């Protein structure tokens, strides 16, 4: 004969099992939602255009398009591509066809989400630069060239792994979007230029650099992405000429905080197609006040003595 469990104990066991299951649900459900959201955040949001590659293939619109090498894409160049202006103080170089990194604010990333890429420039070796424009060369999805009307920009110093350094100057300004005459990965490349600035940059101590980011602002209702072109320094102006790999990636969407672009593209030396426009000159000297001539005091006139008349007889 089986011994029956006391109904009170049975009820207690059932209630305890229910609480255990409830606790598991509370712990597991948020984790599952986080996993689902992580997968959704990656859907349609690429951090680069292609796998890393050490070289590129160039072609011209006047000739047949060449086949892409594995892990690489050809760059198509018009006969008269956009050239750096005479007032360009620094330009890191033309698109090299190796890759493009996600570089935009909002758009299909979502409200407040961004991916920014910075690269270094020396700045003035003496005196000052007066910066009037900043630009990046960017591979844009179809339609974004007309959707983008503004861009964020920053100039920093002291950037290193995990450290954003110090913001020297930043802003959000109207931007003009102009075809460069180059393309790759099925995207046309455009120059995104912020102009009308009046920013002064001083010479830095030897071995220090400025770090520039120009980030297109994409409307939230626009689809497609902006990818900043990589460069190997072709047609570069100033120093460094797109060859030192001192570039950095910062993104709240992809969960990185000022990390080397090797974590974006893969091992190798990676530089970005960015530029600075303006004029170089020495700082205005402090005017020396003109001394005011001191007028010597006029001597007090000595009273003239009057002769004493002789007594009258």
């Amino acid at each position: 004969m089986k011994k029956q469990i006391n109904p009170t104990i049975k009820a207690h066991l059932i209630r305890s099992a229910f609480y255990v299951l409830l606790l598991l649900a509370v712990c597991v459900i948020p984790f599952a939602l986080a996993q689902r959201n992580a997968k959704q955040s990656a859907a349609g949001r690429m951090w680069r255009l292609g796998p890393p590659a050490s070289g590129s293939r160039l072609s011209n619109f006047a000739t047949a398009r060449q086949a892409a090498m594995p892990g690489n894409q050809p760059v198509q160049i018009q006969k008269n591509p956009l050239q750096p202006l005479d007032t360009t103080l620094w330009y890191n170089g033309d698109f090299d066809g190796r890759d493009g990194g996600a570089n935009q604010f909002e758009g299909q990333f979502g409200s407040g989400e961004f991916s920014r890429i910075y690269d270094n420039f020396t700045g003035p070796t003496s005196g000052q630069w007066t910066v009037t424009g900043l630009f990046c060369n960017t591979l844009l999805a179809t339609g974004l060239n007309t959707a983008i009307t503004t861009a964020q920009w920053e100039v920093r110093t002291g950037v290193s792994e995990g450290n954003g350094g110090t913001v020297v100057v930043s802003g959000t300004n109207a931007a003009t979007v102009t075809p460069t005459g180059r393309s790759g990965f099925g995207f046309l490349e455009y120059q995104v230029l912020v102009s009308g600035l009046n920013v002064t940059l001083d010479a830095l101590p030897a071995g220090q650099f400025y770090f520039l980011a120009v980030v297109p602002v994409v409307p939230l209702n626009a689809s497609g992405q902006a990818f900043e072109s990589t460069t190997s320094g072709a047609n570069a102006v100033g120093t460094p000429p797109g060859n030192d790999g001192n570039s950095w990636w910062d993104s709240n969407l992809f969960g990185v905080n000022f990390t080397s672009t090797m974590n974006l593209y893969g091992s190798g030396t990676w530089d970005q197609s960015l530029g600075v426009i303006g004029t170089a000159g020495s700082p205005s000297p402090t005017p020396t006040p003109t001394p005011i001539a001191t007028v010597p005091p006029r001597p007090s006139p000595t009273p003239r003595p009057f002769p004493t008349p002789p007594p009258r007889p």
Side-chain angles (χ1 to χ4, degrees):
M1 184 175 180
K2 293 183 179 179
K3 185 176 179 181
Q4 293 185 349
I5 300 175
N6 187 303
T8 303
I9 297 175
K10 186 176 180 180
H12 179 72
L13 291 173
I14 293 173
R15 186 166 55 249
S16 298
F18 173 76
Y19 288 149
V20 170
L21 291 173
L22 183 62
L23 180 62
L24 287 172
V26 169
C27 294
V28 170
I29 290 174
F31 178 77
L33 288 174
Q35 292 286 78
R36 186 191 69 177
N37 291 338
K39 291 178 181 179
Q40 288 178 345
S41 68
R45 296 166 180 172
M46 299 165 55
W47 60 82
R48 70 170 188 243
L49 280 172
S54 59
S56 66
R57 296 287 295 275
L58 300 179
S59 63
N60 192 295
F61 281 141
T63 63
R65 183 182 175 94
Q66 300 179 23
M69 296 171 61
N72 210 10
Q73 291 289 327
V75 180
Q76 287 191 325
I77 305 175
Q78 290 181 353
K79 291 183 178 180
N80 298 304
L82 192 66
Q83 298 295 322
L85 298 174
D86 292 339
T87 52
T88 299
L89 297 171
W90 171 72
Y91 174 50
N92 221 23
D94 296 342
F95 179 39
D96 59 7
R98 296 172 67 202
D99 218 327
N103 186 63
Q104 71 180 65
F105 178 73
E106 295 190 337
Q108 70 179 34
F109 283 0
S111 179
E113 304 287 348
F114 64 84
S115 180
R116 304 184 184 119
I117 307 178
Y118 298 76
D119 213 328
N120 67 318
F121 65 98
T122 304
T125 54
S126 63
Q128 295 175 324
W129 281 2
T130 300
V131 175
T132 56
L134 301 167
F135 66 89
C136 65
N137 288 333
T138 302
L139 299 161
L140 295 179
T142 302
L144 289 189
N145 60 306
T146 55
I148 293 170
T149 58
T150 58
Q152 298 177 339
W153 55 273
E154 286 185 354
V155 177
R156 293 174 175 258
T157 56
V159 175
S160 60
E161 186 68 36
N163 174 24
T166 302
V167 176
V168 177
V169 63
S170 64
T172 301
N173 292 76
T176 56
V177 181
T178 307
T180 65
R182 294 178 289 268
S183 63
F185 296 93
F187 294 84
L188 295 178
E189 186 192 51
Y190 295 85
Q191 181 191 82
V192 179
L193 169 67
V194 174
S195 57
L197 305 178
N198 185 18
V199 173
T200 299
L201 297 180
D202 296 316
L204 294 174
Q208 295 187 21
F209 296 98
Y210 290 106
F211 294 86
L212 171 64
V214 179
V215 185
V217 177
V218 181
L220 285 170
N221 60 351
S223 61
Q225 283 186 231
F227 297 91
E228 190 169 271
S229 305
T230 59
T231 184
S232 299
N235 297 318
V237 175
T239 58
N243 62 1
D244 67 347
N246 195 355
S247 56
W248 304 90
W249 180 32
D250 180 45
S251 174
N252 60 356
L253 175 65
F254 297 113
V256 294
N257 178 41
F258 287 94
T259 189
S260 167
T261 51
M262 286 191 293
N263 294 316
L264 172 62
Y265 302 119
S267 61
T269 300
W270 298 97
D271 292 274
Q272 303 298 139
S273 189
L274 290 153
V276 178
I277 296 170
T279 56
S282 300
S284 301
T286 303
T288 303
T290 303
I292 300 174
T294 303
V295 180
R298 297 177 63 185
S300 301
T302 303
R304 296 173 61 186
F306 291 94
T308 303
R312 299 175 66 182

PDB file of all heavy atoms in Angstrom, residues 20-37:
ATOM      1  N   VAL A  20      10.112  28.649  -8.492  1.00  0.00           N
ATOM      2  CA  VAL A  20      11.383  28.409  -9.175  1.00  0.00           C
ATOM      3  C   VAL A  20      11.257  28.679 -10.676  1.00  0.00           C
ATOM      4  O   VAL A  20      12.106  29.313 -11.301  1.00  0.00           O
ATOM      5  CB  VAL A  20      11.872  26.975  -8.919  1.00  0.00           C
ATOM      6  CG1 VAL A  20      13.053  26.638  -9.824  1.00  0.00           C
ATOM      7  CG2 VAL A  20      12.268  26.807  -7.460  1.00  0.00           C
ATOM      8  N   LEU A  21      10.160  28.186 -11.267  1.00  0.00           N
ATOM      9  CA  LEU A  21       9.935  28.422 -12.693  1.00  0.00           C
ATOM     10  C   LEU A  21       9.763  29.900 -12.996  1.00  0.00           C
ATOM     11  O   LEU A  21      10.250  30.415 -14.015  1.00  0.00           O
ATOM     12  CB  LEU A  21       8.704  27.638 -13.165  1.00  0.00           C
ATOM     13  CG  LEU A  21       8.860  26.108 -13.191  1.00  0.00           C
ATOM     14  CD1 LEU A  21       7.515  25.459 -13.504  1.00  0.00           C
ATOM     15  CD2 LEU A  21       9.906  25.690 -14.213  1.00  0.00           C
ATOM     16  N   LEU A  22       9.060  30.611 -12.109  1.00  0.00           N
ATOM     17  CA  LEU A  22       8.856  32.042 -12.288  1.00  0.00           C
ATOM     18  C   LEU A  22      10.185  32.789 -12.236  1.00  0.00           C
ATOM     19  O   LEU A  22      10.446  33.700 -13.045  1.00  0.00           O
ATOM     20  CB  LEU A  22       7.901  32.569 -11.218  1.00  0.00           C
ATOM     21  CG  LEU A  22       7.531  34.055 -11.303  1.00  0.00           C
ATOM     22  CD1 LEU A  22       6.817  34.360 -12.612  1.00  0.00           C
ATOM     23  CD2 LEU A  22       6.650  34.454 -10.118  1.00  0.00           C
ATOM     24  N   LEU A  23      11.055  32.392 -11.280  1.00  0.00           N
ATOM     25  CA  LEU A  23      12.360  33.021 -11.169  1.00  0.00           C
ATOM     26  C   LEU A  23      13.199  32.785 -12.418  1.00  0.00           C
ATOM     27  O   LEU A  23      13.875  33.698 -12.922  1.00  0.00           O
ATOM     28  CB  LEU A  23      13.084  32.482  -9.928  1.00  0.00           C
ATOM     29  CG  LEU A  23      14.492  33.049  -9.666  1.00  0.00           C
ATOM     30  CD1 LEU A  23      14.416  34.552  -9.429  1.00  0.00           C
ATOM     31  CD2 LEU A  23      15.108  32.362  -8.444  1.00  0.00           C
ATOM     32  N   LEU A  24      13.153  31.551 -12.941  1.00  0.00           N
ATOM     33  CA  LEU A  24      13.885  31.256 -14.172  1.00  0.00           C
ATOM     34  C   LEU A  24      13.385  32.104 -15.336  1.00  0.00           C
ATOM     35  O   LEU A  24      14.169  32.597 -16.163  1.00  0.00           O
ATOM     36  CB  LEU A  24      13.763  29.769 -14.514  1.00  0.00           C
ATOM     37  CG  LEU A  24      14.569  28.803 -13.633  1.00  0.00           C
ATOM     38  CD1 LEU A  24      14.193  27.372 -13.968  1.00  0.00           C
ATOM     39  CD2 LEU A  24      16.058  29.030 -13.832  1.00  0.00           C
ATOM     40  N   ALA A  25      12.069  32.273 -15.421  1.00  0.00           N
ATOM     41  CA  ALA A  25      11.492  33.078 -16.498  1.00  0.00           C
ATOM     42  C   ALA A  25      11.959  34.525 -16.416  1.00  0.00           C
ATOM     43  O   ALA A  25      12.305  35.149 -17.428  1.00  0.00           O
ATOM     44  CB  ALA A  25       9.972  33.005 -16.453  1.00  0.00           C
ATOM     45  N   VAL A  26      11.984  35.058 -15.176  1.00  0.00           N
ATOM     46  CA  VAL A  26      12.417  36.439 -14.982  1.00  0.00           C
ATOM     47  C   VAL A  26      13.863  36.622 -15.422  1.00  0.00           C
ATOM     48  O   VAL A  26      14.250  37.654 -15.989  1.00  0.00           O
ATOM     49  CB  VAL A  26      12.238  36.851 -13.503  1.00  0.00           C
ATOM     50  CG1 VAL A  26      12.923  38.186 -13.229  1.00  0.00           C
ATOM     51  CG2 VAL A  26      10.757  36.943 -13.161  1.00  0.00           C
ATOM     52  N   CYS A  27      14.694  35.604 -15.195  1.00  0.00           N
ATOM     53  CA  CYS A  27      16.112  35.697 -15.561  1.00  0.00           C
ATOM     54  C   CYS A  27      16.349  35.449 -17.048  1.00  0.00           C
ATOM     55  O   CYS A  27      17.184  36.096 -17.673  1.00  0.00           O
ATOM     56  CB  CYS A  27      16.922  34.688 -14.743  1.00  0.00           C
ATOM     57  SG  CYS A  27      16.947  35.038 -12.978  1.00  0.00           S
ATOM     58  N   VAL A  28      15.621  34.519 -17.632  1.00  0.00           N
ATOM     59  CA  VAL A  28      15.900  34.083 -18.994  1.00  0.00           C
ATOM     60  C   VAL A  28      15.289  35.005 -20.037  1.00  0.00           C
ATOM     61  O   VAL A  28      15.905  35.300 -21.065  1.00  0.00           O
ATOM     62  CB  VAL A  28      15.398  32.634 -19.210  1.00  0.00           C
ATOM     63  CG1 VAL A  28      15.461  32.253 -20.690  1.00  0.00           C
ATOM     64  CG2 VAL A  28      16.222  31.675 -18.380  1.00  0.00           C
ATOM     65  N   ILE A  29      14.066  35.500 -19.788  1.00  0.00           N
ATOM     66  CA  ILE A  29      13.376  36.310 -20.790  1.00  0.00           C
ATOM     67  C   ILE A  29      14.164  37.564 -21.171  1.00  0.00           C
ATOM     68  O   ILE A  29      14.340  37.858 -22.361  1.00  0.00           O
ATOM     69  CB  ILE A  29      11.941  36.655 -20.330  1.00  0.00           C
ATOM     70  CG1 ILE A  29      11.089  35.391 -20.365  1.00  0.00           C
ATOM     71  CG2 ILE A  29      11.337  37.742 -21.209  1.00  0.00           C
ATOM     72  CD1 ILE A  29       9.690  35.584 -19.806  1.00  0.00           C
ATOM     73  N   PRO A  30      14.674  38.383 -20.200  1.00  0.00           N
ATOM     74  CA  PRO A  30      15.454  39.555 -20.611  1.00  0.00           C
ATOM     75  C   PRO A  30      16.681  39.189 -21.434  1.00  0.00           C
ATOM     76  O   PRO A  30      17.062  39.893 -22.375  1.00  0.00           O
ATOM     77  CB  PRO A  30      15.866  40.195 -19.271  1.00  0.00           C
ATOM     78  CG  PRO A  30      14.840  39.728 -18.303  1.00  0.00           C
ATOM     79  CD  PRO A  30      14.490  38.339 -18.740  1.00  0.00           C
ATOM     80  N   PHE A  31      17.330  38.073 -21.073  1.00  0.00           N
ATOM     81  CA  PHE A  31      18.498  37.646 -21.836  1.00  0.00           C
ATOM     82  C   PHE A  31      18.116  37.309 -23.268  1.00  0.00           C
ATOM     83  O   PHE A  31      18.792  37.684 -24.225  1.00  0.00           O
ATOM     84  CB  PHE A  31      19.135  36.433 -21.150  1.00  0.00           C
ATOM     85  CG  PHE A  31      20.324  35.893 -21.898  1.00  0.00           C
ATOM     86  CD1 PHE A  31      21.548  36.526 -21.839  1.00  0.00           C
ATOM     87  CD2 PHE A  31      20.204  34.748 -22.662  1.00  0.00           C
ATOM     88  CE1 PHE A  31      22.646  36.030 -22.527  1.00  0.00           C
ATOM     89  CE2 PHE A  31      21.283  34.238 -23.361  1.00  0.00           C
ATOM     90  CZ  PHE A  31      22.510  34.888 -23.282  1.00  0.00           C
ATOM     91  N   ALA A  32      16.989  36.614 -23.428  1.00  0.00           N
ATOM     92  CA  ALA A  32      16.528  36.248 -24.771  1.00  0.00           C
ATOM     93  C   ALA A  32      16.175  37.489 -25.580  1.00  0.00           C
ATOM     94  O   ALA A  32      16.477  37.579 -26.777  1.00  0.00           O
ATOM     95  CB  ALA A  32      15.330  35.313 -24.668  1.00  0.00           C
ATOM     96  N   LEU A  33      15.545  38.469 -24.914  1.00  0.00           N
ATOM     97  CA  LEU A  33      15.197  39.709 -25.616  1.00  0.00           C
ATOM     98  C   LEU A  33      16.447  40.461 -26.034  1.00  0.00           C
ATOM     99  O   LEU A  33      16.502  41.038 -27.125  1.00  0.00           O
ATOM    100  CB  LEU A  33      14.326  40.589 -24.714  1.00  0.00           C
ATOM    101  CG  LEU A  33      12.895  40.102 -24.483  1.00  0.00           C
ATOM    102  CD1 LEU A  33      12.202  40.993 -23.458  1.00  0.00           C
ATOM    103  CD2 LEU A  33      12.111  40.086 -25.790  1.00  0.00           C
ATOM    104  N   ALA A  34      17.457  40.470 -25.168  1.00  0.00           N
ATOM    105  CA  ALA A  34      18.698  41.149 -25.500  1.00  0.00           C
ATOM    106  C   ALA A  34      19.367  40.502 -26.704  1.00  0.00           C
ATOM    107  O   ALA A  34      19.892  41.180 -27.588  1.00  0.00           O
ATOM    108  CB  ALA A  34      19.643  41.137 -24.301  1.00  0.00           C
ATOM    109  N   GLN A  35      19.345  39.166 -26.729  1.00  0.00           N
ATOM    110  CA  GLN A  35      19.913  38.459 -27.861  1.00  0.00           C
ATOM    111  C   GLN A  35      19.161  38.786 -29.147  1.00  0.00           C
ATOM    112  O   GLN A  35      19.753  39.011 -30.199  1.00  0.00           O
ATOM    113  CB  GLN A  35      19.867  36.935 -27.610  1.00  0.00           C
ATOM    114  CG  GLN A  35      20.781  36.483 -26.496  1.00  0.00           C
ATOM    115  CD  GLN A  35      22.234  36.514 -26.925  1.00  0.00           C
ATOM    116  OE1 GLN A  35      22.858  37.570 -26.969  1.00  0.00           O
ATOM    117  NE2 GLN A  35      22.783  35.377 -27.251  1.00  0.00           N
ATOM    118  N   ARG A  36      17.837  38.843 -29.048  1.00  0.00           N
ATOM    119  CA  ARG A  36      17.038  39.165 -30.234  1.00  0.00           C
ATOM    120  C   ARG A  36      17.321  40.589 -30.707  1.00  0.00           C
ATOM    121  O   ARG A  36      17.491  40.845 -31.897  1.00  0.00           O
ATOM    122  CB  ARG A  36      15.552  39.022 -29.909  1.00  0.00           C
ATOM    123  CG  ARG A  36      14.653  39.189 -31.134  1.00  0.00           C
ATOM    124  CD  ARG A  36      13.201  39.319 -30.744  1.00  0.00           C
ATOM    125  NE  ARG A  36      12.969  40.587 -30.071  1.00  0.00           N
ATOM    126  CZ  ARG A  36      11.756  40.994 -29.666  1.00  0.00           C
ATOM    127  NH1 ARG A  36      10.701  40.217 -29.841  1.00  0.00           N
ATOM    128  NH2 ARG A  36      11.611  42.154 -29.067  1.00  0.00           N
ATOM    129  N   ASN A  37      17.410  41.535 -29.743  1.00  0.00           N
ATOM    130  CA  ASN A  37      17.673  42.915 -30.119  1.00  0.00           C
ATOM    131  C   ASN A  37      19.053  43.074 -30.735  1.00  0.00           C
ATOM    132  O   ASN A  37      19.263  43.880 -31.643  1.00  0.00           O
ATOM    133  CB  ASN A  37      17.546  43.833 -28.900  1.00  0.00           C
ATOM    134  CG  ASN A  37      16.107  43.950 -28.431  1.00  0.00           C
ATOM    135  OD1 ASN A  37      15.184  43.708 -29.207  1.00  0.00           O
ATOM    136  ND2 ASN A  37      15.914  44.301 -27.172  1.00  0.00           N
TER     137      ASN A  37
END
